[in-house]
């Protein structure tokens, strides 16, 4: 089977090489299938070449298509989709693709434009629904329900959900929500897959822990809180700082480390009384596991919103595989149900006193326990197996 994965990205995404390339390579090794990736983005030539080179190392065929941003972003996007449909069709004509895998809404829209041509070619469609991206735009990006743009995007998503041979989601809640939007719902078409991480890359490392804690200047009895990733509107930065401050008043050696791509905006939001206690760093992806190893607690807090039902934050798996217990918000995808009973996880529900009691158990708690949860639920093998199960069922159909 030859599978073409289609994505639409900005100029600074790194999830292809950090998430999908390892999963695709794992599937290729297990099944002998070939993955192709067509990425639409407005990244510069150097970044495109970097991704192309990485794809080559992973044994994945890569094609980049420029997303136009002029005369305005919206106009450029529409023009790109018109051209993108042609680029997609041309690629399918030139390569023996048997399965097309659009990720999220805009790639789905381009695939929809190909209409019956795909059916006549006998090409299967696997829709990577990628959470609830339209609802996320409503929750955090100002998209108005009922607006022309909302109806346009929702129509494209619903059409793809209805016509896809298989639909991939990251949560069971998303499957329920998508099923409710369809008049006819065949549960066998929906498959939950995970954002698997490599346990050989994310792992406890006592030597790195000792060296980095010495470099950072944190005492051995200090609890190092770690947050990794974006910090836009969906994230509860002020709540993170408030909870840390309430704990730090009782445990003076504790510190908070933010690992972010761009630290200027974060730094501007740190109160003066926390400036010496909160550190902000931008480090290469290859160094992220070293800092996880130095930490004691991973943070994944999100603002309450309907779109949370579709989310499976990648960082949660990274934290656990690295031996970090996790503090997470209630209502994020299936995590409350999956992790709420684990000693290595705390689901925050405005219960600060209970949080402090749980934090008091972390020092004697083995990092191996947290890692075991990560291995069972968020390992790369689990992800590869879930994808293979979905694709095998497609072949058997």
């Amino acid at each position: 089977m030859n599978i073409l994965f289609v994505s639409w990205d900005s100029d600074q995404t790194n999830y292809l090489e950090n998430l999908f390339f390892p999963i695709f390579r794992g599937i290729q090794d297990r099944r002998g299938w070939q993955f192709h990736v067509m990425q639409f983005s407005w990244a510069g030539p150097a970044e495109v070449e970097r991704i192309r080179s990485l794809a080559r190392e992973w044994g994945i065929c890569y094609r980049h298509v420029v997303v136009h941003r002029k005369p305005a972003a919206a106009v450029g996007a529409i023009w790109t989709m018109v051209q993108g449909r042609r680029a997609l069709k041309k690629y399918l004509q030139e390569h023996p693709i048997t399965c097309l895998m659009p990720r999220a809404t805009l790639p789905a829209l381009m695939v929809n434009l190909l209409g019956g041509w795909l059916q006549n070619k006998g090409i299967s469609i696997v829709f990577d629904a990628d959470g609830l991206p339209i609802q996320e735009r409503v929750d955090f990006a100002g998209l108005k329900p009922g607006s022309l743009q909302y109806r346009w995007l929702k129509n494209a998503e619903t059409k793809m959900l209805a016509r896809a041979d298989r639909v991939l989601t990251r949560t069971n809640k998303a499957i329920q929500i998508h099923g409710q939007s369809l008049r006819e719902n065949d549960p066998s078409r929906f498959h939950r897959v995970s954002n698997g991480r490599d346990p050989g890359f994310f792992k406890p490392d006592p030597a790195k822990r000792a060296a980095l804690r010495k470099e950072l200047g944190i005492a051995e009895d200090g609890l190092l809180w770690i947050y990794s990733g974006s910090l836009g509107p969906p994230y509860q930065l002020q709540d993170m700082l408030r909870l840390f401050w309430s704990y730090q008043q009782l445990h003076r050696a504790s510190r908070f480390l933010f690992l972010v791509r761009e630290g200027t905006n974060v730094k501007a939001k740190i109160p003066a009384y926390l400036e010496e206690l909160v550190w902000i760093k931008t480090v290469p992806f290859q160094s992220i596991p070293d800092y996880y190893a130095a930490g004691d607690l991973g943070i994944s807090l999100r603002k309450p919103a309907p779109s949370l039902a579709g989310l499976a934050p990648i960082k949660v798996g990274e934290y656990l595989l690295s031996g970090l217990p996790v503090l997470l918000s209630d209502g994020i995808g299936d995590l409350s149900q999956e992790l709420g009973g684990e000693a290595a996880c705390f689901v925050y529900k405005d219960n600060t006193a209970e949080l402090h009691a749980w934090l008091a158990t972390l020092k004697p708690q083995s990092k191996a326990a947290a890692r075991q949860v990560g291995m069972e639920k968020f390992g790369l093998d689990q992800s590869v197996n879930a994808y293979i199960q979905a694709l095998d069922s497609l072949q058997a159909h």
Side-chain angles (χ1 to χ4, degrees), residues 14-15 17-19 195-204 226-230 259 285 287-293 297-300 312-326 339 367 370-371 373-375 377-380:
N14 61 5
Y15 71 91
E17 66 264 37
N18 294 339
L19 177 64
N195 295 322
R197 311 304 272 156
D198 182 0
F201 184 68
F202 294 101
K203 60 184 178 182
I226 290 187
Y227 177 88
S228 176
S230 303
L259 299 171
F285 178 74
S287 298
I288 293 291
D290 299 344
Y291 286 89
Y292 286 169
L297 175 68
I299 313 296
S300 182
I314 296 173
K315 63 171 65 72
V316 172
E318 295 178 353
Y319 292 154
L320 289 169
L321 285 168
S322 302
L324 287 176
V326 176
L339 302 179
K367 282 185 170 287
R371 180 169 169 82
V373 176
M375 292 289 287
K377 300 180 183 296
F378 302 103
L380 181 58

Side-chain angles (χ1 to χ4, degrees), residues 28 35 47 74 93 103 125 218 245 261 278 312 323 377 392:
Q28 289 182 167
F35 271 89
E47 175 66 4
Q93 290 172 325
R103 177 181 184 263
I125 299 175
I218 182 168
W245 178 242
R261 271 191 152 194
V278 174
K377 300 180 183 296
D392 274 345

Side-chain angles (χ1 to χ4, degrees), residues 86-121:
R86 297 171 185 162
L88 184 55
K89 185 175 182 179
K90 186 172 186 292
Y91 195 91
L92 293 170
Q93 290 172 325
E94 294 174 349
H95 299 83
I97 302 300
T98 52
C99 177
L100 188 56
M101 189 184 292
R103 177 181 184 263
T105 315
L106 296 183
L109 194 149
M110 287 186 287
V111 172
N112 286 338
L113 290 175
L114 291 175
W117 184 83
L118 289 172
Q119 188 173 0
N120 292 336
K121 293 280 288 184

Side-chain angles (χ1 to χ4, degrees), residues 131-132 169-179 190 309-310 334:
L132 302 170
T169 73
R170 300 307 182 278
T171 71
N172 292 320
K173 289 181 180 179
I175 293 176
Q176 296 169 3
I177 292 169
H178 288 316
F190 290 81
D334 303 328

Side-chain angles (χ1 to χ4, degrees), residues 9-121:
D9 303 310
S10 68
D11 59 339
Q12 292 185 340
T13 55
N14 61 5
Y15 71 91
L16 274 181
E17 66 264 37
N18 294 339
L19 177 64
F20 284 106
F21 285 177
I23 293 172
F24 294 165
R25 176 59 181 269
I27 297 171
Q28 289 182 167
D29 289 345
R30 291 269 301 276
R31 282 292 189 268
W33 300 334
Q34 178 64 57
F35 271 89
H36 301 241
V37 171
M38 179 176 285
Q39 183 183 37
F40 290 77
S41 81
W42 56 92
E47 175 66 4
V48 171
E49 184 53 39
R50 184 187 71 83
I51 298 174
R52 179 179 290 112
S53 177
L54 288 170
R56 191 179 302 116
E57 292 176 14
W58 287 101
I60 295 165
C61 304
Y62 176 80
R63 175 71 58 88
H64 179 261
V65 181
V66 175
V67 173
H68 298 284
R69 304 285 287 169
K70 296 180 180 180
V75 175
I78 293 172
W79 175 239
T80 301
M81 279 186 282
V82 172
Q83 289 186 312
R85 173 188 174 276
R86 297 171 185 162
L88 184 55
K89 185 175 182 179
K90 186 172 186 292
Y91 195 91
L92 293 170
Q93 290 172 325
E94 294 174 349
H95 299 83
I97 302 300
T98 52
C99 177
L100 188 56
M101 189 184 292
R103 177 181 184 263
T105 315
L106 296 183
L109 194 149
M110 287 186 287
V111 172
N112 286 338
L113 290 175
L114 291 175
W117 184 83
L118 289 172
Q119 188 173 0
N120 292 336
K121 293 280 288 184

